[in-house]
């Protein structure tokens, strides 16, 4: 068995870690970075890039640069409409109601795009570790629903990874803490990243980490803060020039970029200059944007968002029946937790200094790697008692939601429910499974419907079918049913909960593997073309310098070879042709050099 990697698949950046002699370490990617931007970029001619290179083309090619994929993964389109204004690319509703992202005329599921990021991470890990990597633990926000978890796991599968466990990001951070400290305490993990916010309260011991409560918001992140600055910039620009530029995609991307940069600067400086020359132009000439943004103004703009996170913390304390005085340590996770005002608010709320031992960008991946180490048996087992963040239940008469497993139940957990028929000789019963807190079934997230079939004919109310709902350690829901009269048990798969069947996932996995092989070949091919080009330039120089010394026949042959070489590059000859051309050019070059040397010796 190879090594199990831990992946923090972030909205903005992803991080990968592994265990080396019982200690977690971060994988350095091909660009030499510890963070890989979770961005996939496509070029017009079908090339695909992931990470830093993709992020760099965001400004010039915003429609085909896909970021924040995590905001759409496993979500129904109708639930994600608020997030559309945070991105420049095209998101629409797939036939199954999920989100679909269209790039250069092709539609992708968020799972496929997330798989491209995971594939890059897998490859970086393999290059860095010098071994094949097939198994991973992937983290998700604690507030991810069952559909989002399933979709994340499917993305891993498409990327060629066996996803051994999905764990909650704050729980992963707590694992890093347990591994490091080994001291019993009650900790709060405040996790605010680019797209989501989570707060978790945990009791950790030397070998048990028990989540007492978790709260969060799947659509509240750094990008929302940036958006507040963008709106402010749009206002400033409009009052100065009387122009609304919010419909121009390139302009919006520049504003978003500048807003994020300003935000980052304001984490260490009291004021920042935003300067965007030539933002647009009209008959009267080019228009520039030049404003300074102070930390105080920034804090006023973003305060409502900061307060939302504080409210969630208070609710989590209530859920856990804890008081702020019960918390021994506050661990800050995620890039947005670096904002000074946020740190002040959290410090004030908990009434204690923040624990700054961990790098907020890396601690989640480190926890995931430790979980991998535990699964491998390399790291001393820490029993993780995580909780489910949504109530699980079924729809009953009158569109009401009957709660079977309440939120904050420790997972894994299960609950059995007896189901019967309502008319005589009824042969099937339909069950609609949902997650959420509303008493109205329509307001909760539907996980899917299934039908119990082949019920023995009997008067109504007589059949007794036990339906077992369980939530596994990944937070993923499973359902099984047993007819108590016949004892026949049935494993039930909730109908395509992420809108993707096993067959489709397998097909995408094969496609992704092929694309990766093609990319490798493409890369080798580029190197080869480059080598041929270099050899041609060298030979052209050689000919210029030695024309007077070479016999006519050789000059003729060399000119022919150079011409053939140029043609081959122009006509994009295939790899094998280029390879043989390269060999020929090198041999010819050597032959001529030797000839000249011989001549020199004779004279
Ligand atoms: P993550 O999802 O944890 O990678 O967090 C990324 C988010 O954190 C992005 O929205 C970043 O703009 C934001 N971020 C990173 N560093 C800082 C910082 N120093 N100050 C404010 N926000 C930051």
């Amino acid at each position: 068995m190879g090594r199990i990697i831990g992946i923090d698949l972030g909205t903005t950046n992803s991080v990968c870690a592994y265990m080396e002699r019982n200690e977690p370490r971060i994988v350095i990617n091909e660009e030499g970075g510890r963070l890989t931007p979770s961005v996939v970029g496509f070029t017009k001619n079908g090339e695909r890039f992931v990470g830093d290179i993709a992020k760099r083309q965001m400004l010039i090619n915003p429609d085909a640069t896909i970021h924040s994929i995590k905001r759409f993964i496993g979500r129904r389109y109708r639930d994600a409409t608020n997030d559309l204004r945070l991105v420049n690319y095209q998101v629409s509703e797939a036939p199954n109601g999920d989100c679909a992202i269209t790039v250069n005329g092709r539609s992708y599921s968020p799972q496929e795009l997330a798989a491209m990021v995971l594939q890059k991470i897998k490859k970086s890990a393999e290059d860095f570790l010098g071994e094949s990597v097939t198994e991973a633990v992937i983290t998700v926000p604690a507030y991810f629903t069952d559909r989002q978890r399933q979709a994340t796991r499917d993305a891993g599968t498409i990327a060629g990874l066996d996803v051994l466990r999905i764990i909650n990001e704050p729980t992963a951070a707590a694992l890093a803490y347990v591994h490091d400290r080994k001291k019993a305490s009650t900790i709060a993990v405040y996790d605010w990243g680019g797209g989501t916010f989570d707060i978790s309260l945990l009791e950790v011991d030397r070998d048990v980490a028990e989540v007492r409560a978790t709260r969060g918001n799947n659509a509240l992140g750094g990008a929302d803060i940036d958006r507040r600055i963008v709106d402010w910039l749009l206002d400033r620009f409009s009052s100065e020039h009387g122009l609304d530029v919010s419909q121009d995609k390139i302009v919006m991307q520049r504003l978003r970029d500048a807003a994020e940069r300003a935000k980052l600067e304001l984490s260490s400086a009291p004021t920042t200059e935003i300067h965007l020359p030539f933002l647009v132009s009209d008959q009267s000439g080019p228009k520039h944007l030049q404003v300074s943004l102070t930390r105080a103004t920034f804090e006023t703009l973003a305060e409502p968002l900061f307060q939302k996170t504080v409210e969630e913390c208070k609710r989590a304390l209530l859920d856990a029946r804890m008081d702020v005085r019960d918390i021994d340590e506050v661990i800050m996770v995620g890039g947005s937790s670096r904002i000074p005002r946020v740190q002040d608010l959290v410090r004030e709320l908990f009434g204690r200094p923040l624990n700054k031992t961990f790098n907020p960008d890396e601690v989640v991946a480190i926890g995931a790697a430790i979980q991998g180490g535990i699964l491998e048996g390399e790291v001393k087992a820490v029993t993780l008692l995580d909780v489910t963040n949504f109530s699980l239940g079924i729809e009953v008469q009158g569109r009401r939601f009957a709660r079977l497993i309440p939120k904050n139940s420790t997972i894994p957990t299960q609950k059995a429910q007896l189901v019967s028929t309502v008319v005589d000789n009824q042969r099937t019963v339909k069950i609609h499974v949902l997650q959420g807190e509303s008493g109205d079934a329509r307001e909760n997230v539907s996980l899917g419907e299934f039908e119990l079939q082949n019920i023995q004919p009997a008067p109504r109310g007589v059949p007794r079918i036990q339906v077992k709902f369980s939530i596994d350690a990944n937070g993923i829901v499973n359902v099984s049913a047993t007819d108590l009269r016949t004892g026949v048990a049935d494993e039930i798969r909730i109908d395509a909960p992420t809108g993707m069947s096993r067959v489709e996932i397998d097909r995408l996995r094969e496609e992704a593997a092929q694309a990766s092989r093609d990319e490798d070949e493409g890369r080798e091919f580029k190197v080869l073309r480059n080598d041929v080009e270099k050899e041609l330039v060298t030979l052209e120089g050689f000919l210029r310098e030695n024309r007077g010394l070479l016999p006519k026949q050789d000059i003729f042959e060399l000119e022919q070879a150079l011409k053939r070489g140029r043609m081959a590059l122009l006509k994009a000859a295939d790899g094998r042709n280029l390879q043989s051309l390269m060999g020929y050019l090198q041999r010819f070059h050597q032959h001529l050099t030797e000839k000249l040397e011989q001549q020199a010796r004779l004279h």
Side-chain angles (χ1 to χ4, degrees):
M1 190 169 72
R3 247 187 273 230
I4 302 175
I5 52 171
I7 303 174
D8 169 8
L9 180 62
T11 311
T12 321
N13 295 303
S14 295
V15 186
C16 177
Y18 64 99
M19 296 302 283
E20 177 83 53
R21 279 188 240 112
N22 209 25
E23 279 313 312
R25 304 219 184 290
I26 299 289
V27 167
I28 310 294
N29 66 21
E30 288 131 312
E31 291 76 33
R34 296 163 81 84
L35 307 179
T36 300
S38 310
V39 183
V40 183
F42 297 83
T43 61
K44 288 274 174 289
N45 48 15
E47 272 183 296
R48 187 175 94 190
F49 304 103
V50 178
D52 287 297
I53 315 180
K55 192 176 172 187
R56 254 178 264 140
Q57 73 149 31
M58 188 121 72
L59 263 183
I60 45 165
N61 198 3
D63 304 326
T65 311
I66 316 301
H67 60 96
S68 304
I69 302 159
K70 198 169 166 180
R71 284 192 176 242
F72 302 107
I73 199 164
R75 287 182 79 198
R76 295 217 188 264
Y77 179 76
R78 61 162 194 262
D79 300 330
T81 45
N82 269 345
D83 294 79
L84 302 185
R85 60 192 217 115
L86 298 171
V87 302
N88 262 331
Y89 49 83
Q90 192 192 336
V91 184
S92 53
E93 183 166 9
N96 62 8
D98 283 356
C99 294
I101 295 168
T102 305
V103 192
N104 296 340
R106 195 192 141 175
S107 167
Y108 296 88
S109 65
Q111 289 90 312
E112 276 175 278
L113 294 161
M116 293 172 193
V117 176
L118 289 170
Q119 221 177 359
K120 150 103 180 167
I121 288 173
K122 175 177 186 286
K123 176 139 196 337
S124 292
E126 288 177 334
D127 289 350
F128 187 71
L129 298 170
E131 62 191 41
S132 144
V133 171
T134 53
E135 294 173 316
V137 171
I138 303 181
T139 61
V140 293
Y143 243 63
F144 252 25
T145 62
D146 179 74
R147 308 183 86 246
Q148 290 168 303
R149 282 163 202 270
Q150 296 254 20
T152 304
R153 193 164 63 176
D154 292 345
T157 310
I158 295 169
L161 287 166
D162 188 2
V163 183
L164 300 181
R165 190 64 66 83
I166 295 278
I167 61 169
N168 291 337
E169 287 160 9
T171 314
L175 268 184
Y177 175 87
V178 180
H179 188 76
D180 197 53
R181 289 300 177 82
K182 307 184 170 59
K183 174 175 114 195
S185 36
T186 303
I187 61 175
V189 179
Y190 177 102
D191 179 0
W192 203 8
T196 56
F197 170 72
D198 278 341
I199 171 76
S200 295
L201 305 175
L202 300 99
E203 269 173 6
V204 299
D205 203 334
R206 216 175 309 202
D207 40 21
V208 181
E210 180 177 5
V211 181
R212 292 286 308 277
T214 162
R215 278 264 175 188
N217 187 332
N218 271 347
L220 177 63
D224 301 275
I225 304 176
D226 302 345
R227 180 68 210 201
R228 298 254 159 163
I229 305 177
V230 168
D231 286 343
W232 181 78
L233 291 173
L234 285 170
D235 268 1
R236 294 293 301 251
F237 193 74
S238 151
S239 51
E240 192 174 327
H241 299 289
L243 289 175
D244 172 15
V245 289
S246 62
Q247 297 311 313
D248 184 322
K249 283 191 174 178
I250 302 254
V251 169
M252 285 302 281
Q253 192 54 49
R254 284 183 74 191
L255 289 174
R256 217 171 273 149
D257 230 43
E260 184 179 14
R261 244 178 299 122
K263 174 187 73 175
L264 300 188
E265 268 178 45
L266 290 174
S267 284
S268 51
T271 173
T272 179
E273 288 298 316
I274 299 173
H275 179 43
L276 293 173
F278 303 97
L279 197 60
V280 285
S281 50
D282 63 8
Q283 304 88 323
S284 61
K287 305 270 176 287
H288 317 294
L289 176 72
Q290 169 104 45
V291 281
S292 52
L293 177 61
T294 62
R295 193 186 275 181
T297 308
F298 164 67
E299 288 174 355
T300 314
L301 293 172
E303 186 69 12
L305 305 179
F306 299 164
Q307 287 300 338
K308 273 192 191 174
T309 72
V310 172
E311 287 311 311
E312 294 291 356
C313 293
K314 288 182 182 159
R315 285 197 202 112
L317 284 163
L318 280 178
D319 283 353
R321 294 196 192 84
M322 280 184 183
D323 184 83
V324 282
R325 281 178 300 246
D326 296 328
I327 307 292
D328 302 310
E329 299 272 358
V330 183
I331 300 176
M332 301 296 272
V333 181
S336 305
S337 75
R338 289 205 162 100
I339 297 172
R341 171 74 184 150
V342 168
Q343 299 196 344
D344 289 346
L345 283 171
V346 180
R347 203 180 297 117
E348 255 167 50
L349 172 71
F350 290 101
R352 60 176 47 260
L354 308 174
N355 179 323
K356 295 213 170 148
T357 337
F358 299 99
N359 179 335
D361 295 326
E362 297 176 356
V363 63
V364 169
I366 283 178
I370 293 170
Q371 175 67 60
I374 294 172
L375 293 174
E376 265 175 330
E378 276 231 337
V379 176
K380 192 174 149 318
V382 175
T383 310
L384 250 189
L385 298 175
D386 214 329
V387 296
T388 164
N389 307 303
F390 296 96
S391 299
L392 179 77
I394 52 175
E395 181 177 335
V396 291
Q397 252 180 351
R399 299 254 163 106
R400 280 178 307 111
F401 175 66
R403 193 168 279 123
L404 297 177
I405 299 178
K407 70 175 285 202
N408 283 333
S409 300
T410 301
I411 53 171
T413 180
Q414 62 176 41
K415 170 88 190 217
Q417 170 85 3
L418 271 187
V419 171
S420 193
T421 49
V422 286
V423 291
D424 292 343
N425 299 326
Q426 186 179 332
R427 300 298 305 267
T428 61
V429 172
K430 237 192 191 151
I431 295 184
H432 185 193
V433 188
L434 303 113
Q435 260 183 341
E437 308 313 319
S438 171
D440 181 345
R442 283 165 299 188
E443 286 177 12
N444 292 329
V445 176
S446 166
L447 298 188
E449 287 188 14
F450 64 87
E451 209 169 50
L452 298 175
Q453 288 167 339
N454 302 326
I455 297 171
Q456 298 282 319
R460 71 193 168 105
V462 170
R464 294 173 63 223
I465 299 143
Q466 190 182 53
V467 184
K468 221 183 256 167
F469 298 85
S470 64
I471 304 180
D472 66 15
N474 301 307
I476 289 178
V477 177
N478 299 286
V479 184
S480 65
T482 314
D483 187 331
L484 291 184
R485 216 156 41 139
T486 59
V488 174
D490 215 357
E491 274 299 319
I492 296 164
R493 220 190 110 84
I494 297 183
D495 228 6
T498 64
M500 256 195 199
S501 65
R502 189 90 339 244
V503 176
E504 199 175 352
I505 292 170
D506 285 346
R507 178 182 66 78
L508 289 173
R509 181 184 174 128
E510 193 29 59
E511 244 180 59
Q514 185 58 44
S516 162
R517 286 192 291 272
D518 290 351
E519 247 166 46
D520 282 350
E521 272 175 24
R523 210 168 292 142
E524 281 166 25
F525 183 63
K526 269 191 196 149
V527 171
L528 182 59
R529 274 182 68 91
N530 205 20
D531 288 348
V532 171
E533 170 85 42
K534 268 199 264 174
E535 187 60 34
L536 288 174
V537 171
T538 315
L539 273 175
E540 279 157 0
F542 177 87
L543 180 61
R544 262 196 314 276
E545 276 169 29
N546 301 300
R547 190 176 275 276
L549 301 172
L550 289 169
K552 267 206 179 106
Q553 184 58 28
D554 284 342
I555 294 177
F556 175 73
E557 269 185 41
L558 184 51
E559 279 173 345
Q560 290 301 313
L562 287 171
K563 231 185 249 167
R564 273 218 315 275
R566 287 284 162 208
M567 279 308 279
L569 286 184
L570 265 180
K571 282 173 122 182
D574 69 25
R576 203 167 325 140
N577 278 342
L578 277 186
Q579 195 79 53
S580 82
L581 177 71
M582 182 71 185
Y584 169 68
L585 290 176
Q586 282 171 330
R587 282 193 303 276
F588 197 22
H589 191 170
Q590 194 179 358
H591 164 75
L592 292 179
T593 314
E594 281 168 8
K595 207 170 194 175
L596 285 181
E597 277 172 7
Q598 238 173 20
Q599 273 183 24
R601 251 179 269 133
L602 287 177
H603 283 107

